[in-house]
Amino acid sequence: MSIITIIGSGMMGSAMARPAKDNGHEIRLVGTPLDNAIIEAVKAGKDHPTLKRSFNGIATAFYISELGEALNGTDVVLAGISSFGVDWFTENILQVLPKNVPVLSITKGMRLEANDSLQVFPHHFASKRPDLDFIAVGGPCISFELFDRRQTMVYYCGRNMAAVKKVKSVFETSYYHIIPSTDTVAVECSAALKNAYAMGVSLAVGLAEREKGVTDARGITGNSIPGAPDLNPVYNPQAALFAQSCLEMRRLVEMLGGNGDLVAGLPGAGDLYVTVFGGRTRRLGTLLGRGMNYSKVKEVLNGVTLEAVAIITRVAEFLRRASKAGKADLKKFPLMMQMDSILNKESPVALDWESFGEL
Amino acid sequence: MSIITIIGSGMMGSAMARPAKDNGHEIRLVGTPLDNAIIEAVKAGKDHPTLKRSFNGIATAFYISELGEALNGTDVVLAGISSFGVDWFTENILQVLPKNVPVLSITKGMRLEANDSLQVFPHHFASKRPDLDFIAVGGPCISFELFDRRQTMVYYCGRNMAAVKKVKSVFETSYYHIIPSTDTVAVECSAALKNAYAMGVSLAVGLAEREKGVTDARGITGNSIPGAPDLNPVYNPQAALFAQSCLEMRRLVEMLGGNGDLVAGLPGAGDLYVTVFGGRTRRLGTLLGRGMNYSKVKEVLNGVTLEAVAIITRVAEFLRRASKAGKADLKKFPLMMQMDSILNKESPVALDWESFGEL
């Protein structure tokens, strides 16, 4: 039996308790300063407020003020934070993590560095704690499906294959399948980009609805496959954008030194497939496609964190700088650049289809 | 203005009339011997019975007995037949097609030849009429969406790029985007395989429903995204199978000499994305996943032609023969071989997840 300390009690971090517990490990679930309501509920034996499942008998909950206790004797740390919590995690948590304990990171995103490079989070973390092994997760995984023991297949990746395999052995079960890899750039870059491109694919949903006169927020709820409930979905343009997304993800992964072939499997196409069908990014793209500008969409989705917006803004800026330096051709990323204009210049959604396709 | 003769008035062949007509061409729609009811309706000015749209002002309809008249002065022939009509087309139509007229083929499928090779249909047709240029279509395209002028992006491919571009110019519009290519093997192999693997992805839908007690045919209707209407869909296993499908499609395309990179774009991942969400193959996979054996599924779906079954049976047999000859490793195609067992040995759907993944 090992001790697993999960820091960050959002849906995905919390759900990872399930396979580890099924393998007989002790699970400690620590909330960030924003998670106090979740920790209070779990400590009281109530359902996890966002995952809407009980953690009784699965994990012991800790407030962030109890972090020291939660880290005492731990064997694996899971960094269960969103990209918006990276600075907090880097400044407050990284330095207090014990030595020789591998850190599994589920954070999706990339940083634009001062030298104009784009960096995946595991490499950022490692630059601050070079003594630790950071292992990142990529691939299609909806949190509550994992918690409910649905068949799930993902990548774990890191620079040290022995550490990757150690962490894999802690989490792998008969329903949670893990492919080990050392290509952190390909896996993490895909994991970040799929949020961006899920917005792109969803634009087609909203565009088709707009043609039928739907320009408001109807049908935009928390359920899967949101959309105007009285309309049949339209797939040809979604599929064309899905394919364009796969092309651009591949180009960016290869530009950053990763193996582009991985984009065609779980970390790219597979994860995009899952992300398109529900959640905030789908709602974002659908509303934009219906003709709402981004300021208005932010009001409608008020309070929802939009990782897609962060990653699109960052990648587009990276590409502009790289283009100026002669290191990138913006014509290879037309969908990314159009998404950036829609968000950051509030340009109307009028996709330039002729710019898409294999060149 | 050119004259376009469409032979076969199924949904896809018929829908291709729309972009060609929008470009100002004259369209002649010829039914096969099985299409008499469609031609009768269109001649009478009624809606096309399966596409459920009017062809008034778009195309002139012809019975197969009027083929000579329909071919008189034609500039482009469109072979609008399903894979089940290939022998009829080869034996009865190919030889009467005029010289120097390019033939656009929308038939998806592959032939297992006597020498144990797997051949795409355009190459089969060309072996019978080496004087003609055959151009094949691949990529995500639902027929009625094209007819309704939804944004659609596809590949046209053939050995002669000039002929490909000529046909492209006839059909390309502001909503129907065509990428020309000479890689017929990659495009057509993907187009055929996506039907097979759409069944594989759909198995996950049925498996998840079975866990909730759904073992009958409820919710299996003609609409998009069929499934038990009272259950939320489950995406993690679908996405894992989607990724595995992309991997196996790539391997087969490369084995047959095509460019595997195309599988990650429109002809593979893009077309699979569309095919998973509706139609007969989704219903087939869902029912099998729920635990119905194939004999029973055939009863439930009575009369529906299942291209997926034909292609799975043929590709699995091809792979077994290639494996015996030392030319293929069956472990690289675990999903294909499991699908073949489910259909042809009526094996229960118990997916071997450990066999999946990048090797």
Side-chain angles (χ1 to χ4, degrees):
Chain A
M1 193 207 64
S2 299
I3 298 172
I4 317 301
T5 303
I6 300 172
I7 302 176
S9 60
M11 291 174 72
M12 192 64 234
S14 302
M16 297 280 283
R18 171 71 89 185
K21 180 66 186 178
D22 279 348
N23 284 337
H25 303 300
E26 177 188 334
I27 316 297
R28 298 170 181 174
L29 182 65
V30 186
T32 72
L34 300 175
D35 293 337
N36 285 342
I38 294 173
I39 298 303
E40 190 180 346
V42 174
K43 276 183 184 262
K46 295 178 190 164
D47 279 0
H48 187 294
T50 52
L51 200 60
K52 301 192 192 312
R53 268 92 173 152
S54 169
F55 277 73
N56 292 338
I58 294 176
T60 310
F62 294 81
Y63 291 112
I64 192 67
S65 56
E66 302 168 312
L67 178 63
E69 189 186 342
L71 286 173
N72 187 23
T74 195
D75 297 290
V76 175
V77 167
L78 192 157
I81 50 168
S82 83
S83 67
F84 301 105
V86 163
D87 289 341
W88 169 81
F89 185 83
T90 305
E91 287 160 24
N92 299 280
I93 307 298
L94 262 186
Q95 300 309 322
V96 305
L97 295 181
K99 290 186 192 302
N100 302 319
V101 170
V103 180
L104 183 63
S105 164
I106 60 161
T107 312
K108 310 296 176 214
M110 289 190 287
R111 287 173 60 89
L112 183 53
E113 301 294 325
N115 67 355
D116 292 349
S117 71
L118 209 52
Q119 194 176 41
V120 296
F121 286 133
H123 292 172
H124 171 67
F125 294 146
S127 72
K128 306 292 178 185
R129 275 297 298 267
D131 60 313
L132 293 181
D133 276 310
F134 292 90
I135 291 103
V137 185
C141 184
I142 294 177
S143 56
F144 59 83
E145 293 188 14
L146 173 60
F147 193 87
D148 293 345
R149 300 192 178 99
R150 299 299 176 195
Q151 294 292 338
T152 301
M153 192 174 291
V154 297
Y155 267 84
Y156 279 17
C157 53
R159 63 184 175 189
N160 175 357
M161 184 52 94
V164 174
K165 289 191 170 168
K166 178 188 167 180
V167 176
K168 169 180 147 89
S169 74
V170 166
F171 286 91
E172 186 154 70
T173 68
S174 62
Y175 56 86
Y176 186 50
H177 309 280
I178 299 164
I179 302 173
S181 168
T182 55
D183 194 341
T184 305
V185 167
V187 173
E188 284 301 285
C189 183
S190 297
L193 290 173
K194 66 100 178 10
N195 277 322
Y197 286 106
M199 182 190 114
V201 176
S202 305
L203 291 173
V205 179
L207 280 167
E209 292 173 340
R210 182 168 67 181
E211 284 187 34
K212 299 272 186 178
V214 178
T215 57
D216 55 15
R218 81 183 71 163
I220 299 297
T221 61
N223 63 343
S224 294
I225 317 192
D230 46 344
L231 296 181
N232 273 327
V234 173
Y235 289 108
N236 289 6
Q238 283 185 53
L241 293 172
F242 188 93
Q244 181 65 23
S245 298
C246 290
L247 287 186
E248 294 189 18
M249 287 197 285
R250 180 195 189 100
R251 290 171 185 156
L252 198 68
V253 162
E254 291 181 345
M255 202 177 147
L256 299 179
N259 175 3
D261 287 353
L262 284 186
V263 172
L266 281 169
D271 204 356
L272 183 60
Y273 181 90
V274 150
T275 310
V276 163
F277 290 105
R280 57 196 103 172
T281 310
R282 166 77 167 222
R283 293 195 284 277
L284 169 67
T286 301
L287 290 174
L288 291 167
R290 287 182 188 176
M292 241 177 239
N293 66 27
Y294 179 50
S295 303
K296 175 74 181 163
V297 171
K298 273 193 286 193
E299 282 174 37
V300 171
L301 301 181
N302 92 80
V304 173
T305 56
L306 290 170
E307 307 224 11
V309 176
I311 191 71
I312 289 167
T313 303
R314 210 162 286 161
V315 171
E317 179 60 22
F318 162 76
L319 288 171
R320 272 190 297 268
R321 293 185 194 175
S323 169
K324 272 191 194 156
K327 295 176 185 166
D329 177 1
L330 294 182
K331 286 191 183 139
K332 298 274 188 187
F333 304 94
L335 181 55
M336 177 63 73
M337 301 318 291
Q338 289 173 52
M339 292 194 294
D340 180 60
S341 288
I342 291 164
L343 292 170
N344 293 313
K345 294 184 189 163
E346 303 218 343
S347 305
V349 179
L351 296 173
D352 178 9
W353 294 91
E354 294 302 320
S355 68
F356 300 152
E358 286 81 355
L359 298 175
Chain B
M1 192 209 66
S2 299
I3 299 172
I4 317 301
T5 303
I6 301 173
I7 303 175
S9 61
M11 293 175 70
M12 193 63 234
S14 302
M16 297 281 283
R18 171 71 88 185
K21 180 66 188 178
D22 279 348
N23 283 337
H25 303 299
E26 176 188 334
I27 317 298
R28 300 172 180 172
L29 182 64
V30 186
T32 71
L34 300 176
D35 292 338
N36 284 342
I38 295 173
I39 297 306
E40 189 180 346
V42 174
K43 276 182 183 263
K46 296 179 189 163
D47 278 1
H48 186 295
T50 52
L51 200 61
K52 302 194 191 311
R53 268 94 174 149
S54 169
F55 277 72
N56 292 338
I58 296 175
T60 310
F62 294 80
Y63 291 112
I64 192 68
S65 57
E66 302 167 314
L67 179 64
E69 189 187 343
L71 286 173
N72 187 23
T74 196
D75 297 290
V76 175
V77 167
L78 192 157
I81 49 169
S82 83
S83 67
F84 301 106
V86 163
D87 288 341
W88 170 80
F89 186 82
T90 306
E91 286 159 26
N92 298 280
I93 307 298
L94 263 186
Q95 300 309 322
V96 304
L97 294 182
K99 289 187 194 302
N100 301 320
V101 170
V103 180
L104 183 63
S105 163
I106 61 162
T107 312
K108 309 297 177 212
M110 290 189 287
R111 288 172 60 91
L112 184 53
E113 301 293 325
N115 67 355
D116 291 350
S117 72
L118 210 50
Q119 194 177 40
V120 296
F121 286 133
H123 291 172
H124 171 66
F125 294 146
S127 72
K128 307 291 179 186
R129 276 296 297 269
D131 60 314
L132 293 181
D133 275 310
F134 292 91
I135 291 105
V137 185
C141 184
I142 294 177
S143 57
F144 59 84
E145 294 188 12
L146 173 60
F147 192 87
D148 293 345
R149 301 191 179 97
R150 300 299 177 194
Q151 294 292 338
T152 302
M153 192 174 291
V154 297
Y155 268 85
Y156 278 18
C157 53
R159 64 184 175 187
N160 175 359
M161 183 53 93
V164 173
K165 289 191 168 168
K166 176 187 169 181
V167 175
K168 168 179 147 90
S169 74
V170 166
F171 286 92
E172 187 153 69
T173 69
S174 62
Y175 56 86
Y176 186 50
H177 310 279
I178 299 163
I179 303 173
S181 168
T182 55
D183 194 341
T184 305
V185 166
V187 173
E188 284 300 287
C189 182
S190 297
L193 289 173
K194 66 96 181 10
N195 276 322
Y197 285 106
M199 181 190 114
V201 176
S202 305
L203 291 173
V205 179
L207 280 167
E209 292 174 340
R210 182 166 67 182
E211 285 187 33
K212 300 272 187 180
V214 178
T215 57
D216 55 16
R218 81 182 73 164
I220 299 297
T221 60
N223 63 342
S224 294
I225 317 191
D230 46 344
L231 296 181
N232 274 326
V234 172
Y235 290 109
N236 290 4
Q238 282 184 54
L241 293 173
F242 188 93
Q244 180 65 23
S245 298
C246 290
L247 287 186
E248 295 188 17
M249 286 196 288
R250 181 195 189 98
R251 290 171 186 157
L252 198 68
V253 162
E254 291 181 343
M255 201 176 148
L256 299 180
N259 176 3
D261 287 355
L262 284 186
V263 172
L266 281 169
D271 203 358
L272 184 59
Y273 181 88
V274 150
T275 311
V276 163
F277 290 107
R280 56 197 105 172
T281 310
R282 167 75 165 224
R283 294 197 283 277
L284 167 68
T286 301
L287 290 174
L288 291 167
R290 287 180 186 176
M292 239 176 241
N293 65 29
Y294 179 50
S295 303
K296 175 75 180 162
V297 171
K298 272 192 288 192
E299 281 174 38
V300 171
L301 301 181
N302 90 80
V304 174
T305 56
L306 290 168
E307 307 223 11
V309 176
I311 191 71
I312 289 166
T313 304
R314 209 163 288 160
V315 170
E317 179 60 23
F318 162 76
L319 287 171
R320 272 190 296 268
R321 293 184 195 175
S323 169
K324 271 193 195 154
K327 294 176 187 167
D329 177 1
L330 294 182
K331 286 190 183 137
K332 298 275 188 186
F333 304 93
L335 180 53
M336 178 60 76
M337 301 316 292
Q338 289 173 51
M339 292 194 294
D340 179 60
S341 289
I342 291 164
L343 292 171
N344 294 313
K345 294 183 186 164
E346 303 218 343
S347 305
V349 178
L351 296 172
D352 179 7
W353 294 90
E354 295 302 321
S355 69
F356 300 152
E358 286 80 356
L359 296 177

